[in-house]
Structures are given as structure tokens and as C-alpha cells.
């Protein structure tokens, strides 16, 4: 029968002409459909603006990271050059007839090898699409540490040699009777 469990209920919204079967509420008129589309367009525009703002923020962060990376690499290269040029004050070259290279030639050789290890065109000011690698920084830190270690070893050796000379040249201390 009418209104029984097997027949769908009819719900009317705003009068008898906008009725739906199945208990679903009916949308009242064309105005409601238009007002639902407008926020969707506004939301899409806001979403696009938010995505653009996020993209710009990511680009800015990436640029800042590249600048910091570049600064660190440049600083390490400068430190290495400085320490290499200061190395002759701490370490003497072995006097072997088979190896007549002087310090300038050795320093140039080390810097050339460093450029080869770090890659062609390094250091490059051109931005790449790939994020900067930490490998060049690790390589530069290791080289800087090796040069400093060599300088420290040379300084300690010279100190030991001076101490030995000082104690050999010092008058013997008088021993108690």
C-alpha cells in the first residue's frame, strides 16, 4: 500500500512540484545550483593561488640553500688555497734528486687534482636543476683537514727539533753532591 515499507517515501521541498522519490531532499530552484558553482570557482582560484605561493616559497628556499652551499664551498676552497700556500712555512720538501718539484708546482698540482675530482667546470656559478650535492663539501672538508694535519705535524716536528737542539746545547746541570 501507500506509505508502506516497500514503497519509496516522497519528500517535498518548497511545494509539490519539486519532489523526489527515495527520501532524498530536493534542490530548490536554479539559484541554489548557481550559488554552489561560484564557491567552487573561488575555491579553485584560491587553491591555485596557494599552490603558486607554495611554489614560490619552495623556489626561494631552494635558492637560499644553493647560496649557502655555494658560500660554504667557496669558503672551503679559499681555506684550502690559503693553507696550501702556508704549508711551506711548516713543512720542508724532501730533497730527492728524482723529485725536483717546488712548492708552487705541487700546490698547482693539488688544486688541479681537486678541480678534477670535483667535476668539470667546478666551481660553477650556473644554477642547475638538480639539488646541490654534499659530496663536494665532504671532499673539501677532508682535504682541508689533511692539509691542516700536515701543517700541525710539521709544526710539532720543528718544535721537537728545536727542543732537542736546545737541550743538547744547554750546559749540564750541576748534580747535588
Amino acid at each position: 500500500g501507500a506509505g508502506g515499507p516497500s514503497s519509496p517515501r516522497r519528500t517535498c521541498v518548497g511545494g509539490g512540484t519539486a519532489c523526489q522519490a527515495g527520501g532524498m531532499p530536493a534542490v530548490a530552484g536554479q539559484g541554489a545550483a548557481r550559488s554552489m558553482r561560484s564557491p567552487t570557482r573561488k575555491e579553485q582560484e584560491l587553491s591555485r593561488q596557494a599552490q603558486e605561493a607554495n611554489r614560490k616559497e619552495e623556489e626561494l628556499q631552494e635558492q637560499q640553500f644553493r647560496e649557502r652551499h655555494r658560500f660554504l664551498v667557496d669558503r672551503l676552497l679559499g681555506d684550502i688555497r690559503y693553507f696550501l700556500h702556508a704549508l711551506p712555512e711548516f713543512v720542508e720538501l724532501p730533497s730527492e734528486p728524482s723529485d725536483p718539484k717546488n712548492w708552487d708546482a705541487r700546490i698547482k698540482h693539488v688544486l688541479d687534482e681537486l678541480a678534477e675530482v670535483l667535476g668539470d667546470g667546478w666551481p660553477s656559478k650556473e644554477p642547475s636543476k638538480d639539488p646541490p650535492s654534499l659530496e663536494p663539501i665532504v671532499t673539501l672538508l677532508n682535504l682541508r683537514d689533511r692539509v691542516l694535519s700536515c701543517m700541525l705535524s710539521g709544526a710539532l716536528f720543528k718544535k721537537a727539533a728545536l727542543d732537542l737542539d736546545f737541550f743538547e746545547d744547554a750546559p749540564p746541570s750541576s748534580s747535588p753532591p
Side-chain angles (χ1 to χ4, degrees):
S6 63
S7 68
R9 287 192 282 151
R10 297 176 90 43
T11 306
C12 294
V13 177
T17 57
C19 291
Q20 278 188 337
M24 302 284 290
V27 177
Q30 288 275 7
R34 267 191 235 123
S35 67
M36 287 180 66
R37 277 189 237 130
S38 288
T40 303
R41 288 181 185 153
K42 288 179 185 177
E43 288 175 7
Q44 288 175 350
E45 182 61 31
L46 288 174
S47 175
R48 271 183 266 164
Q49 290 173 355
Q51 288 173 350
E52 182 66 22
N54 286 340
R55 186 186 61 75
K56 286 181 181 180
E57 180 68 25
E58 286 176 2
E59 286 176 0
L60 179 63
Q61 287 176 353
E62 184 177 332
Q63 180 183 3
Q64 289 173 342
F65 177 75
R66 287 181 189 282
E67 288 172 2
R68 290 181 184 130
H69 183 273
R70 181 84 232 149
F71 172 79
L72 183 57
V73 168
D74 288 343
R75 179 61 193 227
L76 288 171
L77 284 170
D79 288 352
I80 290 168
R81 286 185 191 110
Y82 175 79
F83 293 140
L84 283 173
H85 288 287
L87 193 59
E89 297 175 23
F90 296 90
V91 179
E92 294 178 13
L93 286 175
S95 57
E96 297 178 13
S98 64
D99 192 13
K101 291 184 177 180
N102 62 17
W103 273 111
D104 291 334
R106 287 182 182 253
I107 291 171
K108 183 182 180 327
H109 177 73
V110 169
L111 292 175
D112 289 345
E113 282 187 8
L114 180 62
E116 187 177 308
V117 167
L118 292 176
D120 295 332
W122 184 266
S124 174
K125 302 287 185 193
E126 296 297 320
S128 74
K129 292 181 181 178
D130 298 328
S133 171
L134 294 180
E135 186 177 340
I137 292 173
V138 171
T139 301
L140 293 170
L141 285 170
N142 288 336
L143 178 60
R144 186 198 63 184
D145 290 347
R146 285 195 328 243
V147 173
L148 283 173
S149 175
C150 188
M151 288 174 68
L152 182 59
S153 295
L156 290 174
F157 179 78
K158 283 186 175 187
K159 167 86 167 86
L162 287 172
D163 286 347
L164 184 62
D165 286 346
F166 176 73
F167 289 118
E168 284 179 357
D169 293 341
S173 63
S174 57
S175 57

